[in-house]
Each structure stands twice: as C-alpha cells, then as structure tokens.
Amino acid sequence: MQAWQVHQNGEPGEVMRLDEVELPVPGEGQVLLKVRAANINFPDALLCRGQYQIRPPLPFTPGVEICGETEDGQRVIGNPALPYGGFAEYAVADAAALLPAPEALDDAEAAALHIGYQTGWFGLHRRAGLEAGETLLVHAAAGGVGSAAVQLGKAAGARVIGVVGGADKADVARELGCDVVIDRRAEDVVGAVKEATGGRGADVIYDPVGGEAYTQSTKVVAFEGRILVVGFASGSIPSPALNHALVKNYSILGLHWGLYNTKNPKLVLHCHEQLTELAGRGAIKPLVSERVPLGGAAAAVQRVADGVTTGRVAVVPSLDGAAV
C-alpha cells in the first residue's frame, strides 16, 4: 500500500515521503481500517517537526483523524494509532475508541467532526459552561478548530465574535455565522471587541493561538469571564499574570481533549452523540475547504502548518489525479 512516512523531523513539505509499504498489522484490541478520508490537523505538522507531546518512532505515518471503513463495511471515525497514521491507504486504530460516522456527513466532513468539534464541545460546555445569550470570542475563527467553536457557539445560543487574519478569512467567518468579525491585520482587536460589547468584554474566549492572542484576551474578558486555552498555533506559549486574573475576576481554563479518552471515555461517546444530533438537524456542518488526493498530502500539511488554509483540508485516497 502507499503511505506517507516521516524519516526525519522537519517541515512537513520537506520530510514527508510517499512510500510503498506493507499493510500494518493491528495489535491486540486494534483493527485495520481502509482510509476513506483523513483530515489535516495542526498536530500533524508538529509531529513532523518533532514538537508534539507524542513522538512516535521514526519512520511514522502522520494523520491523526480519519473516517475509515472496517473489514465488514462499517463507516467509522477515530484517531489512528501511531505510527500507522491516516495519510495512507490503510491505518490502524483502537477498536474501543471508534465511533460511528454520522450519516448526515460525507467522509471528509465526518472525519472533521471528531477532534475539532469534540474539543469545542468539551471546551465550551464542560469546561467554560457557555450559556445562551453570552458573548463568545473565538480566535482564528476561520481555521479548523475555530470554525468548529463558532458553529457550536451559535448552536448554543451565544453571540459570537470571530477574530481572523485577513479579508478572505473574514468572509469565511461571516459565512460560518459570526455576529461580529474582526480582522486582526486591519483592526485593533482590543478596541474592536470593546466597541462590539459596549465595553463589557466577552464572557468566554476560545483561544487555540496563544501568544499575542492570549494577551488580547486578558484585556477584553468580561467580569467573571472564562479564557479557554486549547492550543498554541502561534508557537508562543504565554505566561499568565495571575494577579491580573485575580483583580479582574476571570478564570483561565485549560483543555487537553485527548485526556478524556483515557480518563472518562464515556464522556467522549456522549459528546459524539450530541454532535451527531446537531449535525443531523443541520445545526453544525464541518467546513472542509479542500479535498486532495493522497499524493497531495505533504503539500497540504505544509499549507496548514503555514496558516494559509481555512476550515479543514482533507486527504481522500480515492480521489484521482494530482493535487493542485
């Protein structure tokens, strides 16, 4: 079979290599899946660089989120068990962690319902306790993680402010349903948020970026607001001034969604049921901005790493032809 492999750490476009390899052999409790679609996540780039918290032995196949097909023809979604990731014709996954793919979504959309939407649901509902009528601020609102948070926030009845980088991404954020869109390249984020909220600020702030975005969040969080830290796409990990949190009465909440798979997997299943119901009635629909064949995976991962994509980019092995 064909599979992208990383033989040394570095930038995805430089170190990912399409190889002909043997079919992976599932271990105890694992299953072999035919990959129907694999969505690209920022952690895939970090895995290539050797900067992710999990460092599989070289060589490995990246691709942490797939919609696959079991041997008996069931369509499922899940996280492949590295080193046999999803940027391949076949992947391996833990059988107990597989979830049924929602019928309302195609393969790429179904795969995209997993990490980003589970992160958004756990973050907004379980960690931050978002309520209808509250104001939600989402950084990187047009990205894969941010777009999920925008849709989930709207589905929960929140007023959503989206922060993006560029006019094209601003258009995407509006189409996603943001009530207010702020282009950080053209506007002062802090001033714009204060103006949009009458000086009150945002009740919940969803931050997958870190760095300057986090600093801005501390300046616009409302009284008893919650800043939800879900990642550091900027590459800069902030050091919170806890005296500032004290005097402004706000909370700083961390979310590592993957922990729920080991600490409380029943909640992951419950979340999937909620997401499936929302997708079934059209309240959420993953934004898949591009579908590329297997041969285009390395270039696509690099584009995600460079921050020039919107929504999710999906690798679909069944597509014919070369990537554009």
mmCIF file of all heavy atoms in Angstrom, residues 209-227:
data_model
loop_
_atom_site.group_PDB
_atom_site.id
_atom_site.type_symbol
_atom_site.label_atom_id
_atom_site.label_comp_id
_atom_site.label_asym_id
_atom_site.label_seq_id
_atom_site.Cartn_x
_atom_site.Cartn_y
_atom_site.Cartn_z
ATOM 1 N N VAL A 209 -4.626 29.829 19.793
ATOM 2 C CA VAL A 209 -3.487 30.528 19.182
ATOM 3 C C VAL A 209 -2.369 30.796 20.167
ATOM 4 O O VAL A 209 -1.196 30.564 19.888
ATOM 5 C CB VAL A 209 -3.960 31.856 18.541
ATOM 6 C CG1 VAL A 209 -2.769 32.598 17.919
ATOM 7 C CG2 VAL A 209 -5.023 31.592 17.488
ATOM 8 N N GLY A 210 -2.704 31.318 21.355
ATOM 9 C CA GLY A 210 -1.673 31.700 22.318
ATOM 10 C C GLY A 210 -0.986 32.991 21.916
ATOM 11 O O GLY A 210 -1.479 33.754 21.077
ATOM 12 N N GLY A 211 0.182 33.261 22.517
ATOM 13 C CA GLY A 211 0.942 34.446 22.157
ATOM 14 C C GLY A 211 0.162 35.728 22.336
ATOM 15 O O GLY A 211 -0.475 35.961 23.360
ATOM 16 N N GLU A 212 0.192 36.582 21.319
ATOM 17 C CA GLU A 212 -0.467 37.885 21.360
ATOM 18 C C GLU A 212 -1.980 37.735 21.511
ATOM 19 O O GLU A 212 -2.628 38.576 22.145
ATOM 20 C CB GLU A 212 -0.139 38.674 20.098
ATOM 21 C CG GLU A 212 -0.812 40.051 20.003
ATOM 22 C CD GLU A 212 -0.412 40.993 21.142
ATOM 23 O OE1 GLU A 212 0.660 40.774 21.752
ATOM 24 O OE2 GLU A 212 -1.158 41.943 21.407
ATOM 25 N N ALA A 213 -2.542 36.672 20.945
ATOM 26 C CA ALA A 213 -3.988 36.455 21.067
ATOM 27 C C ALA A 213 -4.381 36.295 22.529
ATOM 28 O O ALA A 213 -5.415 36.818 22.965
ATOM 29 C CB ALA A 213 -4.414 35.229 20.263
ATOM 30 N N TYR A 214 -3.566 35.591 23.292
ATOM 31 C CA TYR A 214 -3.876 35.426 24.714
ATOM 32 C C TYR A 214 -3.784 36.773 25.440
ATOM 33 O O TYR A 214 -4.648 37.099 26.275
ATOM 34 C CB TYR A 214 -2.949 34.417 25.383
ATOM 35 C CG TYR A 214 -3.202 34.313 26.867
ATOM 36 C CD1 TYR A 214 -4.218 33.504 27.347
ATOM 37 C CD2 TYR A 214 -2.470 35.068 27.779
ATOM 38 C CE1 TYR A 214 -4.510 33.440 28.705
ATOM 39 C CE2 TYR A 214 -2.751 35.014 29.130
ATOM 40 C CZ TYR A 214 -3.761 34.201 29.590
ATOM 41 O OH TYR A 214 -4.047 34.159 30.929
ATOM 42 N N THR A 215 -2.767 37.547 25.129
ATOM 43 C CA THR A 215 -2.626 38.867 25.754
ATOM 44 C C THR A 215 -3.851 39.726 25.475
ATOM 45 O O THR A 215 -4.372 40.414 26.362
ATOM 46 C CB THR A 215 -1.356 39.564 25.246
ATOM 47 O OG1 THR A 215 -0.219 38.748 25.544
ATOM 48 C CG2 THR A 215 -1.177 40.920 25.897
ATOM 49 N N GLN A 216 -4.324 39.699 24.233
ATOM 50 C CA GLN A 216 -5.527 40.446 23.880
ATOM 51 C C GLN A 216 -6.730 39.936 24.671
ATOM 52 O O GLN A 216 -7.566 40.724 25.125
ATOM 53 C CB GLN A 216 -5.794 40.317 22.382
ATOM 54 C CG GLN A 216 -4.746 40.996 21.510
ATOM 55 C CD GLN A 216 -4.836 40.578 20.056
ATOM 56 O OE1 GLN A 216 -5.491 39.594 19.718
ATOM 57 N NE2 GLN A 216 -4.164 41.327 19.193
ATOM 58 N N SER A 217 -6.795 38.631 24.866
ATOM 59 C CA SER A 217 -7.921 38.044 25.591
ATOM 60 C C SER A 217 -8.016 38.594 27.002
ATOM 61 O O SER A 217 -9.113 38.882 27.497
ATOM 62 C CB SER A 217 -7.777 36.518 25.641
ATOM 63 O OG SER A 217 -7.800 35.952 24.344
ATOM 64 N N THR A 218 -6.881 38.738 27.666
ATOM 65 C CA THR A 218 -6.903 39.234 29.053
ATOM 66 C C THR A 218 -7.407 40.666 29.135
ATOM 67 O O THR A 218 -7.883 41.100 30.187
ATOM 68 C CB THR A 218 -5.510 39.151 29.686
ATOM 69 O OG1 THR A 218 -4.599 40.023 28.994
ATOM 70 C CG2 THR A 218 -4.963 37.733 29.652
ATOM 71 N N LYS A 219 -7.321 41.393 28.037
ATOM 72 C CA LYS A 219 -7.750 42.790 28.028
ATOM 73 C C LYS A 219 -9.224 42.953 27.694
ATOM 74 O O LYS A 219 -9.786 44.036 27.898
ATOM 75 C CB LYS A 219 -6.902 43.590 27.034
ATOM 76 C CG LYS A 219 -5.415 43.646 27.412
ATOM 77 C CD LYS A 219 -4.606 44.396 26.367
ATOM 78 C CE LYS A 219 -3.129 44.456 26.754
ATOM 79 N NZ LYS A 219 -2.308 45.153 25.735
ATOM 80 N N VAL A 220 -9.845 41.893 27.167
ATOM 81 C CA VAL A 220 -11.239 42.017 26.738
ATOM 82 C C VAL A 220 -12.150 40.981 27.398
ATOM 83 O O VAL A 220 -13.310 40.842 27.008
ATOM 84 C CB VAL A 220 -11.371 41.914 25.202
ATOM 85 C CG1 VAL A 220 -10.622 43.055 24.527
ATOM 86 C CG2 VAL A 220 -10.883 40.571 24.688
ATOM 87 N N VAL A 221 -11.655 40.255 28.393
ATOM 88 C CA VAL A 221 -12.502 39.276 29.065
ATOM 89 C C VAL A 221 -13.418 39.997 30.052
ATOM 90 O O VAL A 221 -13.005 40.926 30.750
ATOM 91 C CB VAL A 221 -11.656 38.201 29.773
ATOM 92 C CG1 VAL A 221 -10.783 38.791 30.869
ATOM 93 C CG2 VAL A 221 -12.532 37.072 30.311
ATOM 94 N N ALA A 222 -14.659 39.580 30.090
ATOM 95 C CA ALA A 222 -15.657 40.228 30.938
ATOM 96 C C ALA A 222 -15.481 39.826 32.402
ATOM 97 O O ALA A 222 -14.755 38.881 32.726
ATOM 98 C CB ALA A 222 -17.062 39.846 30.467
ATOM 99 N N PHE A 223 -16.171 40.546 33.282
ATOM 100 C CA PHE A 223 -16.223 40.176 34.691
ATOM 101 C C PHE A 223 -16.762 38.749 34.816
ATOM 102 O O PHE A 223 -17.767 38.397 34.208
ATOM 103 C CB PHE A 223 -17.140 41.152 35.440
ATOM 104 C CG PHE A 223 -17.389 40.783 36.876
ATOM 105 C CD1 PHE A 223 -16.394 40.934 37.835
ATOM 106 C CD2 PHE A 223 -18.622 40.269 37.264
ATOM 107 C CE1 PHE A 223 -16.625 40.586 39.157
ATOM 108 C CE2 PHE A 223 -18.865 39.927 38.581
ATOM 109 C CZ PHE A 223 -17.860 40.078 39.538
ATOM 110 N N GLU A 224 -16.068 37.918 35.562
ATOM 111 C CA GLU A 224 -16.378 36.506 35.705
ATOM 112 C C GLU A 224 -16.339 35.758 34.369
ATOM 113 O O GLU A 224 -17.002 34.727 34.187
ATOM 114 C CB GLU A 224 -17.732 36.291 36.404
ATOM 115 C CG GLU A 224 -17.717 36.727 37.868
ATOM 116 C CD GLU A 224 -18.927 36.241 38.645
ATOM 117 O OE1 GLU A 224 -20.018 36.082 38.043
ATOM 118 O OE2 GLU A 224 -18.763 36.002 39.855
ATOM 119 N N GLY A 225 -15.545 36.271 33.435
ATOM 120 C CA GLY A 225 -15.365 35.601 32.153
ATOM 121 C C GLY A 225 -14.418 34.422 32.260
ATOM 122 O O GLY A 225 -13.761 34.203 33.279
ATOM 123 N N ARG A 226 -14.354 33.653 31.157
ATOM 124 C CA ARG A 226 -13.516 32.457 31.133
ATOM 125 C C ARG A 226 -12.666 32.454 29.867
ATOM 126 O O ARG A 226 -13.211 32.558 28.759
ATOM 127 C CB ARG A 226 -14.382 31.192 31.159
ATOM 128 C CG ARG A 226 -15.134 30.966 32.461
ATOM 129 C CD ARG A 226 -16.453 31.713 32.522
ATOM 130 N NE ARG A 226 -17.528 31.064 31.781
ATOM 131 C CZ ARG A 226 -18.651 31.684 31.454
ATOM 132 N NH1 ARG A 226 -18.863 32.968 31.757
ATOM 133 N NH2 ARG A 226 -19.595 31.024 30.793
ATOM 134 N N ILE A 227 -11.358 32.375 30.037
ATOM 135 C CA ILE A 227 -10.442 32.239 28.903
ATOM 136 C C ILE A 227 -10.090 30.766 28.769
ATOM 137 O O ILE A 227 -9.532 30.165 29.687
ATOM 138 C CB ILE A 227 -9.164 33.074 29.086
ATOM 139 C CG1 ILE A 227 -9.505 34.558 29.210
ATOM 140 C CG2 ILE A 227 -8.206 32.847 27.919
ATOM 141 C CD1 ILE A 227 -8.302 35.443 29.501
#
